């Protein structure tokens, strides 16, 4: 591990807006903010929006700046990336944003039923070979169902035509409500000041001329969830842009 990373980890250990619970702390002791985020951390009754696979947390931090009447939580397993957003939130004195360094799979231990009102999935790896790791698969939707409030919204922003086609089909199969859907966000009428926030990965895909896709949907009824059975055309480009960069 690089010295720079170690220094970031050491500094981040003292950030008031970052939580790095061990698996045992979440499962055996119980995460103390589960069901209590508003009462014990945000100290308000505003809705909570999660960004999963937040990387440097561009969405969590920028939305927190723009929407002071909402709270935001970025979740990612990569601490060195999260450091950037967490530090920016501290420097800018933002009290409505927090970060948790853990696997998204562990979020069932972080949030209570109905505690999250919206989920952002910003440029997740499409995981073309392994649907179980795909953040819009039925496996992950089952996880989200344990804490997303009824009528809650899931936003997917992606470069990947594969992930967009797969998720669109999943949404259709499961009769979820589609709130917005475009295979070329910036050529559509849709972009607004929220949708045009550009993450670290998004900038790389735009530089490569890849159109950005956006899908917003509300699951409504969750069970039984149906996984698409068909094959989807794989993305033709290599995913070097997704390799680990801090
Ligand atoms: C391609 S990057 C996108 C980062 C950021 N959203 C952006 O647009 O710049 C995907 C991120 O998801 C995180 N990630 C993927 N699967 C995860 C999981 N199961 N649990 C936690 N983080 C995960 C990775 O660590 C990585 O930071």
């Amino acid at each position: 591990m690089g010295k720079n990373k170690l220094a970031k980890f050491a500094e981040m250990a003292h950030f008031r807006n970052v939580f790095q619970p061990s698996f045992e702390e979440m499962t055996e002791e119980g995460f103390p903010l589960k069901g209590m985020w508003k009462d014990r951390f945000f100290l308000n009754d505003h809705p909570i929006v999660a960004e999963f696979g937040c990387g440097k947390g561009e969405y969590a931090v920028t939305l927190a700046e723009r929407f002071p009447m909402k709270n935001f939580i970025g979740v990612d397993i990569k601490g060195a990336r999260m450091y950037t957003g967490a530090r920016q939130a501290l420097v800018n004195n933002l009290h409505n944003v927090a970060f948790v360094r853990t696997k998204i799979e562990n979020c069932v231990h972080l949030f209570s039923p109905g505690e999250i009102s919206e989920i952002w999935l910003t440029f997740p790896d499409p995981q073309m070979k392994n649907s179980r790791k795909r953040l819009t698969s039925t496996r992950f939707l089952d996880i989200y169902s344990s804490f997303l409030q009824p009528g809650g919204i899931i936003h997917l922003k992606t470069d990947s035509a594969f992930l967009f086609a797969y998720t669109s089909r999943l949404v259709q199969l499961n009769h979820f409500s589609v709130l917005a859907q475009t295979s070329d966000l910036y050529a559509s009428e849709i972009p607004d000041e929220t949708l045009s926030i550009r993450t670290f990965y998004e900038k790389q895909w735009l530089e490569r001329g890849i159109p950005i896709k956006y899908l917003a949907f509300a699951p409504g009824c969750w069970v039984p969830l149906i996984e698409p059975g068909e094959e989807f055309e794989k993305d033709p480009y290599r995913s070097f842009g997704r390799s680990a960069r801090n």
Side-chain angles (χ1 to χ4, degrees):
M1 187 184 294
K3 199 175 167 189
N4 193 25
K5 246 186 197 178
L6 284 175
K8 284 180 181 174
F9 286 153
E11 193 185 336
M12 201 166 74
H14 302 286
F15 285 2
R16 61 169 285 283
N17 59 356
V18 175
F19 300 88
Q20 307 189 61
S22 67
F23 189 67
E24 289 68 33
E25 281 165 347
M26 286 184 281
T27 52
E28 289 166 23
E29 296 164 29
F31 186 62
L33 292 179
K34 182 178 180 182
M36 303 299 289
W37 279 94
K38 293 180 186 177
D39 288 347
R40 293 192 187 161
F41 181 78
F42 292 116
L43 309 180
N44 62 45
D45 198 28
H46 304 159
I48 301 175
V49 179
E51 183 187 5
F52 290 146
C54 67
K56 298 185 181 206
E58 289 92 341
Y59 257 83
V61 172
T62 312
L63 292 176
E65 282 167 350
R66 293 185 186 173
F67 298 97
M69 299 302 279
K70 289 185 181 181
N71 303 310
F72 298 87
I73 301 176
V75 178
D76 204 296
I77 193 61
K78 298 263 171 76
R81 294 182 184 176
M82 176 176 290
Y83 168 92
T84 305
R87 189 170 181 283
Q88 194 184 340
L90 288 178
V91 169
N92 294 347
N93 212 18
L94 290 172
H95 294 280
N96 60 336
V97 58
F99 290 89
V100 186
R101 183 181 177 209
T102 192
K103 284 186 172 179
I104 297 157
E105 290 88 327
N106 293 333
C107 285
V108 292
H109 306 297
L110 297 179
F111 307 122
S112 284
E115 198 166 15
I116 299 297
S117 68
E118 280 176 66
I119 293 171
W120 280 88
L121 303 171
T122 48
F123 299 89
D125 191 307
Q127 299 288 353
M128 292 190 281
K129 289 186 183 158
N130 187 351
S131 66
R132 281 183 59 76
K133 289 187 176 177
R134 218 171 279 156
L135 296 192
T136 55
S137 65
T138 51
R139 174 174 174 246
F140 274 91
L141 288 173
D142 270 332
I143 292 169
Y144 308 152
S145 73
S146 70
F147 48 75
L148 187 66
Q149 72 180 39
I153 300 170
I154 299 177
H155 304 263
L156 170 69
K157 249 182 125 180
T158 182
D159 56 288
S160 167
F162 170 88
L163 184 64
F164 183 69
Y166 163 85
T167 309
S168 300
R169 177 66 179 140
L170 185 146
V171 163
Q172 184 191 35
L173 268 179
N174 290 283
H175 305 289
F176 296 162
S177 303
V178 176
L179 308 176
Q181 186 171 26
T182 173
S183 56
D184 192 348
L185 178 63
Y186 297 111
S188 75
E189 301 286 305
I190 302 178
D192 59 17
E193 58 168 354
T194 298
L195 284 171
S196 44
I197 297 169
R198 293 183 179 175
T199 71
F200 178 76
Y201 277 83
E202 175 167 0
K203 286 177 195 153
Q204 293 180 36
W205 299 124
L206 285 170
E207 275 167 22
R208 293 171 69 180
I210 295 171
I212 303 304
K213 293 92 179 154
Y214 172 66
L215 177 60
F217 59 98
C221 180
W222 291 98
V223 281
L225 290 177
I226 305 166
E227 182 74 27
E230 58 266 63
E231 291 284 312
F232 295 92
E233 192 175 336
K234 301 266 195 298
D235 297 329
Y237 50 87
R238 291 186 57 212
S239 58
F240 67 80
R242 291 188 183 89
S243 63
R245 289 184 196 180
N246 303 313

